[in-house]
Amino acid sequence: MAPLRQIRLIDNVVAFGRPYLRADGGHCELVHVDGDPVCVKHSGRLRGCQFRPIIINGMRQRLNESVSRSRHSG
């Protein structure tokens, strides 16, 4: 996958979750992508949230599904 396409895909997943995070006083933003590793920054109430691992794992799963669909669609 082309780097720009990968970044757009990742940013779309982060953007999808952002309204839900903001509704609870949190925020997540894409910082950088280095191949497969993706770095995001958590802020606001998300930093200390006990549900953060669940939220992040949900975003990770959605990202994996998006990447998989993208690879199969050409």
Side-chain angles (χ1 to χ4, degrees):
M1 180 182 313
L4 184 56
R5 185 174 176 194
Q6 182 182 17
I7 291 170
R8 285 183 182 154
L9 187 77
I10 294 164
D11 198 42
N12 285 342
V13 170
V14 172
F16 174 82
R18 195 171 287 132
Y20 302 103
L21 300 173
R22 284 188 178 157
D24 285 335
H27 186 66
C28 182
E29 65 181 298
L30 177 63
V31 176
H32 75 272
V33 179
D34 186 12
D36 284 342
V38 174
C39 182
V40 295
K41 178 181 176 185
H42 312 122
S43 58
R45 291 181 55 192
L46 183 60
R47 285 190 67 170
C49 179
Q50 64 182 346
F51 296 110
R52 183 179 69 167
I54 296 168
I55 294 166
I56 298 304
N57 285 335
M59 292 175 75
R60 183 179 291 132
Q61 180 179 351
R62 186 173 182 92
L63 178 59
N64 287 335
E65 291 168 358
S66 296
V67 168
S68 179
R69 278 194 306 268
S70 177
R71 286 182 179 156
H72 288 96
S73 68

Short mmCIF file of all heavy atoms in Angstrom, two decimals:
data_model
loop_
_atom_site.label_atom_id
_atom_site.label_comp_id
_atom_site.label_asym_id
_atom_site.label_seq_id
_atom_site.Cartn_x
_atom_site.Cartn_y
_atom_site.Cartn_z
N MET A 1 0.85 -1.17 0.00
CA MET A 1 0.00 0.00 0.00
C MET A 1 0.90 1.23 0.00
O MET A 1 1.88 1.30 0.72
CB MET A 1 -0.90 -0.03 1.24
CG MET A 1 -1.82 1.14 1.33
SD MET A 1 -2.88 1.20 2.81
CE MET A 1 -3.51 -0.44 2.89
N ALA A 2 0.54 2.21 -0.80
CA ALA A 2 1.31 3.45 -0.88
C ALA A 2 1.24 4.18 0.46
O ALA A 2 0.20 4.17 1.13
CB ALA A 2 0.75 4.34 -1.98
N PRO A 3 2.35 4.81 0.88
CA PRO A 3 2.37 5.49 2.19
C PRO A 3 1.25 6.51 2.38
O PRO A 3 0.63 6.55 3.44
CB PRO A 3 3.74 6.15 2.22
CG PRO A 3 4.58 5.34 1.29
CD PRO A 3 3.64 4.87 0.22
N LEU A 4 0.99 7.32 1.38
CA LEU A 4 -0.06 8.34 1.52
C LEU A 4 -1.43 7.68 1.69
O LEU A 4 -2.24 8.11 2.51
CB LEU A 4 -0.06 9.28 0.32
CG LEU A 4 -1.04 10.45 0.38
CD1 LEU A 4 -0.81 11.28 1.65
CD2 LEU A 4 -0.90 11.32 -0.84
N ARG A 5 -1.67 6.63 0.94
CA ARG A 5 -2.94 5.91 1.05
C ARG A 5 -3.07 5.29 2.45
O ARG A 5 -4.14 5.32 3.05
CB ARG A 5 -3.01 4.82 -0.02
CG ARG A 5 -4.31 4.10 -0.06
CD ARG A 5 -4.35 3.16 -1.24
NE ARG A 5 -5.58 2.40 -1.22
CZ ARG A 5 -5.80 1.34 -1.94
NH1 ARG A 5 -4.86 0.89 -2.76
NH2 ARG A 5 -6.92 0.69 -1.87
N GLN A 6 -1.98 4.75 2.96
CA GLN A 6 -1.98 4.15 4.30
C GLN A 6 -2.28 5.21 5.36
O GLN A 6 -3.09 4.99 6.26
CB GLN A 6 -0.63 3.50 4.58
CG GLN A 6 -0.55 2.82 5.92
CD GLN A 6 0.82 2.24 6.19
OE1 GLN A 6 1.80 2.57 5.53
NE2 GLN A 6 0.89 1.36 7.16
N ILE A 7 -1.66 6.37 5.25
CA ILE A 7 -1.89 7.44 6.21
C ILE A 7 -3.34 7.91 6.16
O ILE A 7 -3.97 8.12 7.20
CB ILE A 7 -0.91 8.62 5.96
CG1 ILE A 7 0.51 8.18 6.34
CG2 ILE A 7 -1.33 9.86 6.74
CD1 ILE A 7 1.59 9.14 5.92
N ARG A 8 -3.89 8.04 4.97
CA ARG A 8 -5.30 8.46 4.84
C ARG A 8 -6.23 7.43 5.47
O ARG A 8 -7.19 7.79 6.15
CB ARG A 8 -5.68 8.66 3.38
CG ARG A 8 -5.12 9.92 2.79
CD ARG A 8 -5.58 10.11 1.39
NE ARG A 8 -5.00 11.31 0.83
CZ ARG A 8 -4.79 11.50 -0.46
NH1 ARG A 8 -5.12 10.56 -1.33
NH2 ARG A 8 -4.26 12.62 -0.89
N LEU A 9 -5.94 6.16 5.25
CA LEU A 9 -6.75 5.10 5.83
C LEU A 9 -6.71 5.14 7.35
O LEU A 9 -7.74 5.07 8.02
CB LEU A 9 -6.23 3.74 5.32
CG LEU A 9 -7.05 2.53 5.68
CD1 LEU A 9 -8.28 2.47 4.78
CD2 LEU A 9 -6.22 1.27 5.47
N ILE A 10 -5.53 5.29 7.90
CA ILE A 10 -5.36 5.36 9.36
C ILE A 10 -6.06 6.60 9.91
O ILE A 10 -6.77 6.53 10.91
CB ILE A 10 -3.87 5.35 9.73
CG1 ILE A 10 -3.24 4.01 9.35
CG2 ILE A 10 -3.67 5.64 11.21
CD1 ILE A 10 -1.73 4.02 9.32
N ASP A 11 -5.86 7.73 9.26
CA ASP A 11 -6.47 8.96 9.72
C ASP A 11 -8.00 8.86 9.70
O ASP A 11 -8.68 9.39 10.57
CB ASP A 11 -5.98 10.15 8.90
CG ASP A 11 -6.24 11.46 9.60
OD1 ASP A 11 -6.02 11.53 10.83
OD2 ASP A 11 -6.67 12.42 8.93
N ASN A 12 -8.55 8.15 8.71
CA ASN A 12 -10.00 7.96 8.64
C ASN A 12 -10.50 7.15 9.84
O ASN A 12 -11.57 7.45 10.39
CB ASN A 12 -10.41 7.26 7.35
CG ASN A 12 -10.34 8.17 6.14
OD1 ASN A 12 -10.32 9.38 6.27
ND2 ASN A 12 -10.28 7.58 4.97
N VAL A 13 -9.75 6.14 10.26
CA VAL A 13 -10.15 5.35 11.42
C VAL A 13 -10.09 6.20 12.68
O VAL A 13 -11.01 6.17 13.50
CB VAL A 13 -9.26 4.08 11.56
CG1 VAL A 13 -9.50 3.39 12.89
CG2 VAL A 13 -9.51 3.13 10.40
N VAL A 14 -9.02 6.97 12.83
CA VAL A 14 -8.90 7.85 14.00
C VAL A 14 -10.03 8.88 13.98
O VAL A 14 -10.67 9.14 15.01
CB VAL A 14 -7.51 8.53 14.04
CG1 VAL A 14 -7.45 9.59 15.13
CG2 VAL A 14 -6.41 7.49 14.24
N ALA A 15 -10.31 9.44 12.81
CA ALA A 15 -11.38 10.44 12.69
C ALA A 15 -12.75 9.84 13.01
O ALA A 15 -13.60 10.52 13.58
CB ALA A 15 -11.38 11.04 11.29
N PHE A 16 -12.96 8.57 12.65
CA PHE A 16 -14.23 7.91 12.94
C PHE A 16 -14.47 7.84 14.46
O PHE A 16 -15.57 8.09 14.93
CB PHE A 16 -14.24 6.50 12.35
CG PHE A 16 -15.46 5.71 12.74
CD1 PHE A 16 -16.65 5.88 12.04
CD2 PHE A 16 -15.43 4.83 13.80
CE1 PHE A 16 -17.78 5.17 12.41
CE2 PHE A 16 -16.55 4.11 14.17
CZ PHE A 16 -17.73 4.28 13.47
N GLY A 17 -13.44 7.53 15.21
CA GLY A 17 -13.58 7.41 16.66
C GLY A 17 -13.55 8.72 17.41
O GLY A 17 -14.01 8.80 18.55
N ARG A 18 -13.04 9.75 16.78
CA ARG A 18 -12.85 11.04 17.46
C ARG A 18 -14.12 11.62 18.08
O ARG A 18 -14.09 12.07 19.23
CB ARG A 18 -12.20 12.03 16.49
CG ARG A 18 -11.62 13.24 17.18
CD ARG A 18 -10.81 14.09 16.22
NE ARG A 18 -9.54 13.44 15.92
CZ ARG A 18 -9.05 13.27 14.69
NH1 ARG A 18 -9.71 13.71 13.65
NH2 ARG A 18 -7.89 12.68 14.51
N PRO A 19 -15.27 11.63 17.40
CA PRO A 19 -16.48 12.21 18.01
C PRO A 19 -16.89 11.48 19.29
O PRO A 19 -17.37 12.11 20.24
CB PRO A 19 -17.55 12.05 16.93
CG PRO A 19 -16.81 11.92 15.65
CD PRO A 19 -15.51 11.26 16.00
N TYR A 20 -16.71 10.18 19.33
CA TYR A 20 -17.05 9.40 20.52
C TYR A 20 -16.12 9.75 21.67
O TYR A 20 -16.55 9.86 22.82
CB TYR A 20 -17.00 7.90 20.22
CG TYR A 20 -17.93 7.50 19.10
CD1 TYR A 20 -17.44 7.24 17.83
CD2 TYR A 20 -19.30 7.41 19.32
CE1 TYR A 20 -18.29 6.88 16.80
CE2 TYR A 20 -20.16 7.06 18.29
CZ TYR A 20 -19.64 6.79 17.03
OH TYR A 20 -20.49 6.44 16.01
N LEU A 21 -14.85 9.91 21.35
CA LEU A 21 -13.88 10.27 22.38
C LEU A 21 -14.15 11.68 22.91
O LEU A 21 -14.09 11.92 24.11
CB LEU A 21 -12.46 10.18 21.83
CG LEU A 21 -12.04 8.80 21.33
CD1 LEU A 21 -10.68 8.88 20.64
CD2 LEU A 21 -12.03 7.79 22.45
N ARG A 22 -14.44 12.61 22.01
CA ARG A 22 -14.72 13.99 22.41
C ARG A 22 -15.97 14.08 23.28
O ARG A 22 -16.03 14.90 24.19
CB ARG A 22 -14.85 14.88 21.19
CG ARG A 22 -13.52 15.20 20.56
CD ARG A 22 -13.67 16.23 19.48
NE ARG A 22 -12.34 16.55 18.94
CZ ARG A 22 -12.14 17.04 17.75
NH1 ARG A 22 -13.17 17.30 16.95
NH2 ARG A 22 -10.92 17.32 17.32
N ALA A 23 -16.94 13.22 22.98
CA ALA A 23 -18.18 13.24 23.78
C ALA A 23 -17.89 12.91 25.24
O ALA A 23 -18.63 13.36 26.12
CB ALA A 23 -19.18 12.24 23.20
N ASP A 24 -16.82 12.17 25.48
CA ASP A 24 -16.44 11.83 26.86
C ASP A 24 -15.26 12.66 27.35
O ASP A 24 -14.63 12.32 28.36
CB ASP A 24 -16.07 10.34 26.94
CG ASP A 24 -17.30 9.45 26.90
OD1 ASP A 24 -18.38 9.93 27.27
OD2 ASP A 24 -17.18 8.29 26.50
N GLY A 25 -14.91 13.73 26.63
CA GLY A 25 -13.84 14.61 27.07
C GLY A 25 -12.44 14.15 26.71
O GLY A 25 -11.46 14.63 27.26
N GLY A 26 -12.33 13.22 25.78
CA GLY A 26 -11.02 12.73 25.36
C GLY A 26 -10.70 13.12 23.93
O GLY A 26 -11.53 13.69 23.22
N HIS A 27 -9.50 12.82 23.52
CA HIS A 27 -9.06 13.14 22.16
C HIS A 27 -7.96 12.16 21.76
O HIS A 27 -7.19 11.70 22.60
CB HIS A 27 -8.55 14.58 22.08
CG HIS A 27 -8.22 15.02 20.70
ND1 HIS A 27 -9.18 15.16 19.72
CD2 HIS A 27 -7.05 15.32 20.12
CE1 HIS A 27 -8.59 15.56 18.60
NE2 HIS A 27 -7.30 15.66 18.82
N CYS A 28 -7.91 11.85 20.48
CA CYS A 28 -6.88 10.97 19.94
C CYS A 28 -6.50 11.52 18.58
O CYS A 28 -7.37 11.86 17.78
CB CYS A 28 -7.42 9.55 19.82
SG CYS A 28 -6.24 8.35 19.20
N GLU A 29 -5.21 11.63 18.33
CA GLU A 29 -4.78 12.14 17.02
C GLU A 29 -3.62 11.30 16.50
O GLU A 29 -2.83 10.76 17.25
CB GLU A 29 -4.37 13.60 17.10
CG GLU A 29 -3.17 13.86 17.96
CD GLU A 29 -2.81 15.33 18.04
OE1 GLU A 29 -2.50 15.93 17.00
OE2 GLU A 29 -2.84 15.86 19.16
N LEU A 30 -3.56 11.18 15.18
CA LEU A 30 -2.48 10.47 14.52
C LEU A 30 -1.22 11.32 14.60
O LEU A 30 -1.24 12.49 14.23
CB LEU A 30 -2.85 10.20 13.07
CG LEU A 30 -1.80 9.54 12.19
CD1 LEU A 30 -1.46 8.14 12.72
CD2 LEU A 30 -2.29 9.44 10.76
N VAL A 31 -0.13 10.74 15.09
CA VAL A 31 1.13 11.46 15.21
C VAL A 31 2.04 11.11 14.04
O VAL A 31 2.51 11.99 13.34
CB VAL A 31 1.84 11.15 16.56
CG1 VAL A 31 3.19 11.83 16.63
CG2 VAL A 31 0.96 11.57 17.72
N HIS A 32 2.30 9.82 13.84
CA HIS A 32 3.08 9.41 12.67
C HIS A 32 2.90 7.93 12.39
O HIS A 32 2.44 7.18 13.23
CB HIS A 32 4.56 9.78 12.80
CG HIS A 32 5.33 8.89 13.73
ND1 HIS A 32 5.42 9.14 15.07
CD2 HIS A 32 6.04 7.76 13.51
CE1 HIS A 32 6.15 8.19 15.64
NE2 HIS A 32 6.53 7.34 14.72
N VAL A 33 3.29 7.55 11.18
CA VAL A 33 3.22 6.17 10.73
C VAL A 33 4.61 5.79 10.25
O VAL A 33 5.23 6.53 9.50
CB VAL A 33 2.21 6.02 9.57
CG1 VAL A 33 2.16 4.59 9.08
CG2 VAL A 33 0.84 6.51 9.98
N ASP A 34 5.08 4.63 10.70
CA ASP A 34 6.39 4.13 10.28
C ASP A 34 6.22 2.68 9.86
O ASP A 34 6.48 1.77 10.64
CB ASP A 34 7.41 4.27 11.41
CG ASP A 34 8.82 3.91 10.98
OD1 ASP A 34 9.06 3.78 9.76
OD2 ASP A 34 9.68 3.76 11.86
N GLY A 35 5.72 2.46 8.65
CA GLY A 35 5.40 1.11 8.22
C GLY A 35 4.15 0.65 8.92
O GLY A 35 3.12 1.30 8.89
N ASP A 36 4.24 -0.49 9.61
CA ASP A 36 3.09 -1.00 10.36
C ASP A 36 2.88 -0.28 11.68
O ASP A 36 1.74 -0.09 12.09
CB ASP A 36 3.22 -2.50 10.60
CG ASP A 36 2.92 -3.30 9.34
OD1 ASP A 36 2.31 -2.75 8.42
OD2 ASP A 36 3.31 -4.48 9.30
N PRO A 37 3.93 0.11 12.41
CA PRO A 37 3.68 0.82 13.66
C PRO A 37 2.99 2.17 13.42
O PRO A 37 3.38 2.94 12.55
CB PRO A 37 5.07 1.03 14.26
CG PRO A 37 5.93 0.01 13.62
CD PRO A 37 5.35 -0.17 12.24
N VAL A 38 1.97 2.42 14.21
CA VAL A 38 1.22 3.67 14.14
C VAL A 38 1.29 4.32 15.51
O VAL A 38 1.06 3.67 16.52
CB VAL A 38 -0.25 3.40 13.76
CG1 VAL A 38 -1.07 4.68 13.82
CG2 VAL A 38 -0.34 2.77 12.38
N CYS A 39 1.63 5.60 15.55
CA CYS A 39 1.73 6.32 16.82
C CYS A 39 0.57 7.32 16.90
O CYS A 39 0.40 8.15 16.01
CB CYS A 39 3.06 7.05 16.91
SG CYS A 39 3.29 7.93 18.45
N VAL A 40 -0.22 7.18 17.96
CA VAL A 40 -1.30 8.13 18.21
C VAL A 40 -1.08 8.78 19.56
O VAL A 40 -0.41 8.23 20.43
CB VAL A 40 -2.69 7.45 18.17
CG1 VAL A 40 -3.02 6.94 16.78
CG2 VAL A 40 -2.81 6.35 19.20
N LYS A 41 -1.63 9.96 19.73
CA LYS A 41 -1.50 10.69 20.98
C LYS A 41 -2.88 10.75 21.64
O LYS A 41 -3.86 11.13 21.01
CB LYS A 41 -0.99 12.11 20.72
CG LYS A 41 -0.88 12.95 21.96
CD LYS A 41 -0.40 14.35 21.61
CE LYS A 41 -0.38 15.21 22.86
NZ LYS A 41 -0.02 16.58 22.54
N HIS A 42 -2.93 10.37 22.91
CA HIS A 42 -4.16 10.44 23.69
C HIS A 42 -4.10 11.68 24.57
O HIS A 42 -3.06 11.97 25.14
CB HIS A 42 -4.32 9.22 24.60
CG HIS A 42 -4.09 7.94 23.91
ND1 HIS A 42 -3.15 7.05 24.31
CD2 HIS A 42 -4.68 7.39 22.82
CE1 HIS A 42 -3.17 6.00 23.53
NE2 HIS A 42 -4.08 6.19 22.61
N SER A 43 -5.21 12.35 24.69
CA SER A 43 -5.23 13.51 25.57
C SER A 43 -6.62 13.65 26.19
O SER A 43 -7.53 12.89 25.89
CB SER A 43 -4.85 14.78 24.80
OG SER A 43 -5.71 14.98 23.71
N GLY A 44 -6.74 14.63 27.05
CA GLY A 44 -8.00 14.85 27.75
C GLY A 44 -8.29 13.71 28.70
O GLY A 44 -7.38 13.09 29.25
N ARG A 45 -9.53 13.41 28.88
CA ARG A 45 -9.94 12.36 29.82
C ARG A 45 -9.54 10.97 29.35
O ARG A 45 -9.53 10.04 30.15
CB ARG A 45 -11.44 12.43 30.04
CG ARG A 45 -11.81 13.71 30.81
CD ARG A 45 -13.26 13.84 31.08
NE ARG A 45 -13.79 12.66 31.77
CZ ARG A 45 -15.07 12.43 31.92
NH1 ARG A 45 -15.95 13.26 31.44
NH2 ARG A 45 -15.48 11.35 32.55
N LEU A 46 -9.20 10.79 28.09
CA LEU A 46 -8.80 9.49 27.59
C LEU A 46 -7.50 9.02 28.22
O LEU A 46 -7.31 7.83 28.44
CB LEU A 46 -8.66 9.52 26.05
CG LEU A 46 -8.30 8.21 25.38
CD1 LEU A 46 -9.37 7.15 25.65
CD2 LEU A 46 -8.15 8.41 23.88
N ARG A 47 -6.62 9.94 28.56
CA ARG A 47 -5.31 9.56 29.13
C ARG A 47 -5.44 8.71 30.38
O ARG A 47 -4.71 7.77 30.57
CB ARG A 47 -4.48 10.79 29.44
CG ARG A 47 -3.93 11.42 28.17
CD ARG A 47 -2.95 12.46 28.49
NE ARG A 47 -1.77 11.83 29.09
CZ ARG A 47 -0.65 12.42 29.32
NH1 ARG A 47 -0.53 13.68 29.02
NH2 ARG A 47 0.37 11.80 29.85
N GLY A 48 -6.38 9.01 31.25
CA GLY A 48 -6.52 8.26 32.49
C GLY A 48 -7.72 7.33 32.50
O GLY A 48 -8.06 6.77 33.53
N CYS A 49 -8.36 7.16 31.37
CA CYS A 49 -9.59 6.39 31.28
C CYS A 49 -9.32 4.89 31.42
O CYS A 49 -8.45 4.34 30.75
CB CYS A 49 -10.28 6.67 29.95
SG CYS A 49 -11.80 5.74 29.70
N GLN A 50 -10.09 4.24 32.28
CA GLN A 50 -9.93 2.80 32.46
C GLN A 50 -10.37 2.02 31.22
O GLN A 50 -9.99 0.86 31.05
CB GLN A 50 -10.71 2.32 33.68
CG GLN A 50 -12.20 2.49 33.56
CD GLN A 50 -12.93 2.04 34.81
OE1 GLN A 50 -12.35 1.39 35.66
NE2 GLN A 50 -14.19 2.40 34.92
N PHE A 51 -11.16 2.64 30.36
CA PHE A 51 -11.62 1.97 29.14
C PHE A 51 -10.71 2.24 27.94
O PHE A 51 -10.99 1.77 26.84
CB PHE A 51 -13.06 2.39 28.81
CG PHE A 51 -14.04 1.97 29.85
CD1 PHE A 51 -14.64 2.90 30.67
CD2 PHE A 51 -14.34 0.63 30.04
CE1 PHE A 51 -15.54 2.53 31.65
CE2 PHE A 51 -15.23 0.24 31.01
CZ PHE A 51 -15.84 1.18 31.82
N ARG A 52 -9.63 2.99 28.15
CA ARG A 52 -8.73 3.32 27.05
C ARG A 52 -8.25 2.09 26.29
O ARG A 52 -8.27 2.08 25.06
CB ARG A 52 -7.56 4.15 27.53
CG ARG A 52 -6.65 4.57 26.38
CD ARG A 52 -5.51 5.40 26.84
NE ARG A 52 -4.61 4.55 27.63
CZ ARG A 52 -3.40 4.89 27.99
NH1 ARG A 52 -2.95 6.08 27.69
NH2 ARG A 52 -2.66 4.07 28.67
N PRO A 53 -7.83 1.01 26.97
CA PRO A 53 -7.39 -0.17 26.21
C PRO A 53 -8.50 -0.74 25.31
O PRO A 53 -8.22 -1.17 24.19
CB PRO A 53 -7.01 -1.18 27.29
CG PRO A 53 -6.70 -0.35 28.49
CD PRO A 53 -7.62 0.83 28.41
N ILE A 54 -9.72 -0.69 25.78
CA ILE A 54 -10.84 -1.19 24.98
C ILE A 54 -11.06 -0.29 23.77
O ILE A 54 -11.26 -0.76 22.65
CB ILE A 54 -12.12 -1.29 25.84
CG1 ILE A 54 -11.91 -2.32 26.95
CG2 ILE A 54 -13.34 -1.61 24.98
CD1 ILE A 54 -12.97 -2.30 28.02
N ILE A 55 -11.00 1.01 24.00
CA ILE A 55 -11.18 1.98 22.91
C ILE A 55 -10.08 1.82 21.88
O ILE A 55 -10.34 1.74 20.67
CB ILE A 55 -11.20 3.42 23.47
CG1 ILE A 55 -12.45 3.62 24.35
CG2 ILE A 55 -11.15 4.44 22.34
CD1 ILE A 55 -12.41 4.87 25.20
N ILE A 56 -8.84 1.76 22.33
CA ILE A 56 -7.70 1.64 21.42
C ILE A 56 -7.75 0.31 20.67
O ILE A 56 -7.49 0.26 19.46
CB ILE A 56 -6.37 1.82 22.17
CG1 ILE A 56 -6.30 3.22 22.79
CG2 ILE A 56 -5.18 1.55 21.27
CD1 ILE A 56 -6.46 4.37 21.81
N ASN A 57 -8.09 -0.77 21.36
CA ASN A 57 -8.19 -2.07 20.69
C ASN A 57 -9.30 -2.07 19.65
O ASN A 57 -9.16 -2.68 18.59
CB ASN A 57 -8.39 -3.20 21.70
CG ASN A 57 -7.12 -3.54 22.43
OD1 ASN A 57 -6.02 -3.31 21.94
ND2 ASN A 57 -7.25 -4.08 23.63
N GLY A 58 -10.40 -1.38 19.94
CA GLY A 58 -11.47 -1.25 18.95
C GLY A 58 -11.01 -0.50 17.72
O GLY A 58 -11.32 -0.88 16.59
N MET A 59 -10.25 0.57 17.94
CA MET A 59 -9.70 1.33 16.80
C MET A 59 -8.71 0.47 16.03
O MET A 59 -8.68 0.50 14.80
CB MET A 59 -9.07 2.63 17.29
CG MET A 59 -10.08 3.61 17.83
SD MET A 59 -9.34 5.09 18.53
CE MET A 59 -8.87 5.95 17.04
N ARG A 60 -7.89 -0.30 16.75
CA ARG A 60 -6.91 -1.18 16.11
C ARG A 60 -7.62 -2.23 15.24
O ARG A 60 -7.23 -2.48 14.11
CB ARG A 60 -6.05 -1.87 17.16
CG ARG A 60 -4.96 -2.74 16.58
CD ARG A 60 -4.11 -3.37 17.66
NE ARG A 60 -3.33 -2.35 18.34
CZ ARG A 60 -3.22 -2.22 19.65
NH1 ARG A 60 -3.84 -3.05 20.47
NH2 ARG A 60 -2.48 -1.27 20.18
N GLN A 61 -8.69 -2.79 15.77
CA GLN A 61 -9.44 -3.79 15.02
C GLN A 61 -10.06 -3.17 13.77
O GLN A 61 -10.00 -3.75 12.69
CB GLN A 61 -10.54 -4.40 15.89
CG GLN A 61 -11.35 -5.46 15.17
CD GLN A 61 -12.42 -6.06 16.06
OE1 GLN A 61 -12.46 -5.82 17.26
NE2 GLN A 61 -13.28 -6.86 15.47
N ARG A 62 -10.64 -1.99 13.93
CA ARG A 62 -11.24 -1.31 12.78
C ARG A 62 -10.17 -0.99 11.73
O ARG A 62 -10.41 -1.13 10.53
CB ARG A 62 -11.94 -0.05 13.23
CG ARG A 62 -12.71 0.63 12.13
CD ARG A 62 -13.52 1.79 12.69
NE ARG A 62 -14.29 2.40 11.66
CZ ARG A 62 -15.53 2.06 11.35
NH1 ARG A 62 -16.14 1.12 12.01
NH2 ARG A 62 -16.17 2.67 10.37
N LEU A 63 -8.99 -0.59 12.17
CA LEU A 63 -7.89 -0.30 11.25
C LEU A 63 -7.46 -1.56 10.51
O LEU A 63 -7.29 -1.54 9.29
CB LEU A 63 -6.71 0.30 12.01
CG LEU A 63 -5.48 0.60 11.19
CD1 LEU A 63 -5.79 1.58 10.07
CD2 LEU A 63 -4.39 1.16 12.09
N ASN A 64 -7.31 -2.66 11.24
CA ASN A 64 -6.92 -3.93 10.60
C ASN A 64 -7.95 -4.35 9.55
O ASN A 64 -7.58 -4.81 8.47
CB ASN A 64 -6.74 -5.03 11.64
CG ASN A 64 -5.49 -4.86 12.45
OD1 ASN A 64 -4.53 -4.24 12.01
ND2 ASN A 64 -5.49 -5.40 13.65
N GLU A 65 -9.23 -4.19 9.87
CA GLU A 65 -10.28 -4.53 8.92
C GLU A 65 -10.23 -3.62 7.69
O GLU A 65 -10.39 -4.08 6.56
CB GLU A 65 -11.65 -4.44 9.58
CG GLU A 65 -11.89 -5.51 10.62
CD GLU A 65 -13.12 -5.25 11.49
OE1 GLU A 65 -13.79 -4.20 11.32
OE2 GLU A 65 -13.39 -6.10 12.36
N SER A 66 -9.98 -2.34 7.91
CA SER A 66 -9.89 -1.38 6.80
C SER A 66 -8.71 -1.69 5.90
O SER A 66 -8.82 -1.65 4.68
CB SER A 66 -9.78 0.05 7.33
OG SER A 66 -10.92 0.41 8.03
N VAL A 67 -7.57 -2.01 6.51
CA VAL A 67 -6.37 -2.34 5.72
C VAL A 67 -6.61 -3.61 4.94
O VAL A 67 -6.27 -3.69 3.75
CB VAL A 67 -5.13 -2.48 6.64
CG1 VAL A 67 -3.97 -3.09 5.89
CG2 VAL A 67 -4.75 -1.12 7.21
N SER A 68 -7.21 -4.60 5.55
CA SER A 68 -7.51 -5.87 4.88
C SER A 68 -8.43 -5.64 3.68
O SER A 68 -8.18 -6.16 2.59
CB SER A 68 -8.15 -6.85 5.86
OG SER A 68 -8.45 -8.05 5.22
N ARG A 69 -9.50 -4.86 3.87
CA ARG A 69 -10.41 -4.55 2.76
C ARG A 69 -9.68 -3.81 1.66
O ARG A 69 -9.90 -4.06 0.47
CB ARG A 69 -11.59 -3.72 3.26
CG ARG A 69 -12.68 -4.53 3.90
CD ARG A 69 -13.95 -3.71 4.06
NE ARG A 69 -13.76 -2.46 4.78
CZ ARG A 69 -13.90 -2.32 6.09
NH1 ARG A 69 -14.23 -3.34 6.83
NH2 ARG A 69 -13.71 -1.15 6.65
N SER A 70 -8.82 -2.88 2.04
CA SER A 70 -8.09 -2.08 1.06
C SER A 70 -7.16 -2.95 0.22
O SER A 70 -7.04 -2.76 -0.98
CB SER A 70 -7.30 -0.98 1.78
OG SER A 70 -6.56 -0.24 0.86
N ARG A 71 -6.51 -3.90 0.86
CA ARG A 71 -5.58 -4.79 0.14
C ARG A 71 -6.33 -5.71 -0.83
O ARG A 71 -5.82 -6.04 -1.88
CB ARG A 71 -4.78 -5.61 1.12
CG ARG A 71 -3.73 -4.81 1.82
CD ARG A 71 -2.91 -5.64 2.75
NE ARG A 71 -1.87 -4.81 3.38
CZ ARG A 71 -1.30 -5.09 4.53
NH1 ARG A 71 -1.64 -6.18 5.19
NH2 ARG A 71 -0.40 -4.30 5.02
N HIS A 72 -7.54 -6.11 -0.45
CA HIS A 72 -8.30 -7.02 -1.31
C HIS A 72 -9.03 -6.29 -2.42
O HIS A 72 -9.39 -6.91 -3.41
CB HIS A 72 -9.29 -7.84 -0.46
CG HIS A 72 -8.59 -8.86 0.38
ND1 HIS A 72 -8.26 -8.63 1.68
CD2 HIS A 72 -8.17 -10.11 0.08
CE1 HIS A 72 -7.64 -9.70 2.17
NE2 HIS A 72 -7.58 -10.61 1.23
N SER A 73 -9.24 -4.99 -2.25
CA SER A 73 -9.96 -4.25 -3.30
C SER A 73 -9.01 -3.70 -4.35
O SER A 73 -9.46 -3.15 -5.34
CB SER A 73 -10.78 -3.12 -2.68
OG SER A 73 -9.92 -2.12 -2.15
N GLY A 74 -7.72 -3.84 -4.10
CA GLY A 74 -6.75 -3.44 -5.11
C GLY A 74 -6.30 -2.08 -4.90
O GLY A 74 -5.74 -1.33 -5.49
#
